[in-house]
């Protein structure tokens, strides 16, 4: 039977959590009495996650398993789940139960009211470090100020999207996929559902600082040119200031010859050099992404799938 709902769960090294997640998702989804599928995307886990998922998906006909050939990242995993989904409404949820599966029911209610994107807005984040909460809060606001796309603040990837939205996303060939931004960009009728983000059920975050920074830069580079334009602004400012300084140095040199202009100019040069390297780096961030896009490599590679009717393979 064609599922009405597809629940996409990206999973990376979640052996301690995944069975409980599966149980809770199944419990919630079966209350609806409508056909659904749970799509688990194993993003190159190095623990027992793939074995557990394969076992679950062989026993439960509502479950599907996509196994990546290596760790491609959270956003590619979500992308794969959407690509393989067949439901009319697609829900993306983390595996670690920080996003309570029960909230899906509220999202479905809004979908039935006619909304095409229903996103989870975090009222509170439990069990996360002050650093993470603070940087996330600042980041979402900085991003918002930098782009004309209305990317909602305090919102992750926990959301429901309609089949129309999913098909639109699938048709977008963007490589660095900042999914929450892309969903905002496509428009449609959007509605937030507020929820409290719980503590991780078990295990540790799979988002170390490096991955967080990459996601943050992906979001900015994909949705704003402001960092590049900022270089022009600073360039103009420095030109004006240095012209004024030159003029002043000539005047002061005539009046008082003891002032160390060499020292002052040295510091000015160092400062400008610093700015220049920052901007070269920022330009590089964009050029690197253009290069990624130009290479046209796939966003992810699937090694095997289980549970998909259309000839899913098993190794
Ligand atoms: N995840 C993934 N690939 C990665 C990192 C994370 O598929 O490279 C999954 C992870 O298993 C979880 C979700 O993405 O289901 C969010 O990760 P996590 O809970 O570690 O992030 P946090 O909530 O700490 O930001
Ligand atoms: Mg988490």
């Amino acid at each position: 039977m064609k599922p009405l709902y597809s629940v996409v769960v990206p999973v990376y090294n979640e052996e301690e959590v995944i069975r409980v997640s599966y149980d809770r998702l199944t419990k919630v989804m079966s209350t609806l009495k409508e056909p659904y599928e749970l799509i688990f995307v194993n993003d190159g886990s190095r623990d027992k996650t793939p074995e557990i998922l394969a076992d679950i998906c062989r026993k439960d006909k509502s479950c599907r398993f996509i196994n990546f050939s290596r760790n491609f990242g959270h956003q590619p995993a979500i992308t794969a789940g959407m690509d393989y989904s067949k439901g009319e409404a697609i829900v993306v949820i983390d595996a670690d139960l920080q996003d309570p599966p029960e909230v899906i029911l509220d999202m479905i209610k809004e979908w039935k009211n006619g909304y095409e994107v229903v996103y989870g807005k975090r009222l509170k984040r439990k069990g996360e470090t002050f650093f993470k909460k603070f940087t996330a809060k600042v980041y979402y606001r900085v991003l918002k100020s930098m782009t004309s796309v209305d990317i909602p603040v305090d919102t992750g990837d926990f959301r429901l999207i309609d089949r129309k939205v999913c098909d639109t996303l699938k048709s977008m060939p963007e490589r660095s996929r900042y999914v929450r931004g892309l969903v905002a960009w496509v428009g449609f009728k959007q509605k937030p559902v507020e929820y409290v983000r719980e503590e991780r059920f078990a295990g540790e975050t799979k988002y170390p600082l490096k991955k967080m920074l990459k996601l943050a830069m992906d979001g900015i580079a994909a949705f704003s040119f402001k960092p590049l334009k900022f270089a022009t602004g600073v360039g103009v400012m420095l030109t004006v200031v240095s012209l004024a300084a030159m003029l002043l140095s000539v005047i002061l040199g005539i009046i008082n010859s003891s002032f160390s202009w060499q020292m002052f100019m040295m510091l000015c040069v160092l400062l400008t050099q610093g700015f220049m390297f920052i901007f070269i780096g920022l330009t590089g961030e964009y050029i690197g992404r253009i290069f990624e896009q130009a290479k046209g490599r796939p966003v992810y590679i699937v090694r095997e799938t289980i549970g998909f009717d259309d000839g899913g393979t098993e190794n």
Side-chain angles (χ1 to χ4, degrees), residues 177-192:
R177 297 194 79 85
Y178 188 68
V179 177
R180 57 198 78 168
L182 294 176
V183 175
W185 186 86
V186 297
F188 292 94
K189 278 176 75 182
Q190 309 222 357
K191 166 115 201 213

Side-chain angles (χ1 to χ4, degrees), residues 137-164:
K137 239 192 159 67
V138 172
Y139 171 73
Y140 287 123
R141 278 150 188 86
V142 169
L143 179 63
K144 201 177 172 67
S145 72
M146 281 180 141
T147 169
S148 54
V149 181
D150 194 12
I151 302 176
V153 297
D154 304 329
T155 302
D157 287 309
F158 182 29
R159 72 183 71 229
L160 177 150
I161 58 171
D162 185 82
R163 167 57 43 201
K164 286 194 282 273

Side-chain angles (χ1 to χ4, degrees), residues 14 94-99 128 132 197 200 205-206:
E14 304 280 12
D94 284 356
D96 58 358
L97 296 172
Q98 280 198 282
D99 309 325
E128 287 181 314
K132 179 145 187 166
R197 191 158 156 93
R200 209 172 216 289
T205 176
K206 306 300 176 305

Side-chain angles (χ1 to χ4, degrees), residues 206-224:
K206 306 300 176 305
Y207 255 98
L209 189 61
K210 207 171 131 198
K211 278 190 184 168
M212 250 168 71
L213 286 175
K214 166 139 192 335
L215 183 72
M217 199 57 221
D218 272 345
I220 292 175
F223 289 93
S224 174

Side-chain angles (χ1 to χ4, degrees), residues 43-308:
D43 182 17
S45 300
R46 264 166 276 200
D47 60 2
K48 291 261 167 348
T49 303
E51 286 83 2
I52 302 172
L53 284 176
D55 180 53
I56 291 174
C57 296
R58 282 196 192 102
K59 287 179 183 148
D60 184 341
K61 289 289 155 250
S62 310
C63 291
R64 327 252 181 267
F65 178 48
I66 300 171
N67 200 9
F68 277 4
S69 60
R70 64 168 170 83
N71 179 241
F72 279 90
H74 181 207
Q75 303 294 307
I78 295 174
T79 307
M82 288 182 183
D83 289 347
Y84 279 75
S85 67
K86 298 213 177 73
E88 286 307 311
I90 297 98
V91 178
V92 174
I93 187 167
D94 284 356
D96 58 358
L97 296 172
Q98 280 198 282
D99 309 325
E102 294 70 27
V103 178
I104 296 176
L105 300 178
D106 301 333
M107 292 182 167
I108 288 175
K109 224 180 272 163
E110 295 298 350
W111 177 65
K112 288 190 168 163
N113 285 339
Y115 289 97
E116 292 147 323
V117 174
V118 188
Y119 55 90
K121 190 170 161 54
R122 303 156 174 173
L123 280 182
K124 230 194 209 165
R125 302 172 69 137
K126 289 191 190 163
E128 287 181 314
T129 60
F130 170 76
F131 177 75
K132 179 145 187 166
K133 282 192 272 199
F134 178 74
T135 48
K137 239 192 159 67
V138 172
Y139 171 73
Y140 287 123
R141 278 150 188 86
V142 169
L143 179 63
K144 201 177 172 67
S145 72
M146 281 180 141
T147 169
S148 54
V149 181
D150 194 12
I151 302 176
V153 297
D154 304 329
T155 302
D157 287 309
F158 182 29
R159 72 183 71 229
L160 177 150
I161 58 171
D162 185 82
R163 167 57 43 201
K164 286 194 282 273
V165 180
C166 186
D167 288 342
T168 311
L169 291 175
K170 277 166 71 173
S171 70
M172 290 158 69
E174 224 163 300
R175 302 282 128 190
S176 54
R177 297 194 79 85
Y178 188 68
V179 177
R180 57 198 78 168
L182 294 176
V183 175
W185 186 86
V186 297
F188 292 94
K189 278 176 75 182
Q190 309 222 357
K191 166 115 201 213
V193 161
E194 293 180 334
Y195 75 104
V196 173
R197 191 158 156 93
E198 296 295 333
E199 266 177 59
R200 209 172 216 289
F201 176 76
E204 283 170 5
T205 176
K206 306 300 176 305
Y207 255 98
L209 189 61
K210 207 171 131 198
K211 278 190 184 168
M212 250 168 71
L213 286 175
K214 166 139 192 335
L215 183 72
M217 199 57 221
D218 272 345
I220 292 175
F223 289 93
S224 174
F225 289 125
K226 282 246 169 93
L228 296 178
K229 288 190 186 152
F230 188 51
T232 321
V234 173
V236 170
M237 196 186 75
L238 284 175
T239 311
V240 171
V241 168
S242 53
L243 277 175
M246 274 165 73
L247 200 70
L248 201 72
S249 69
V250 173
I251 298 167
L252 277 178
I254 296 166
I255 304 168
N256 175 8
S257 52
S258 67
F259 189 84
S260 171
W261 279 102
Q262 282 94 330
M263 190 60 169
F264 181 74
M265 288 323 277
M266 263 272 291
L267 292 174
C268 278
V269 169
L270 275 179
L271 181 74
T272 358
Q273 290 269 326
F275 277 128
M276 268 170 49
F277 277 111
I278 291 173
F279 293 129
I280 290 172
L282 279 175
T283 316
E285 295 277 353
Y286 285 85
I287 294 177
R289 282 169 178 80
I290 298 170
F291 184 47
E292 283 291 311
Q293 186 77 21
K295 281 188 290 189
R297 288 182 191 155
V299 177
Y300 56 84
I301 296 169
V302 173
R303 177 199 284 148
E304 59 172 333
T305 62
I306 299 175
F308 293 92

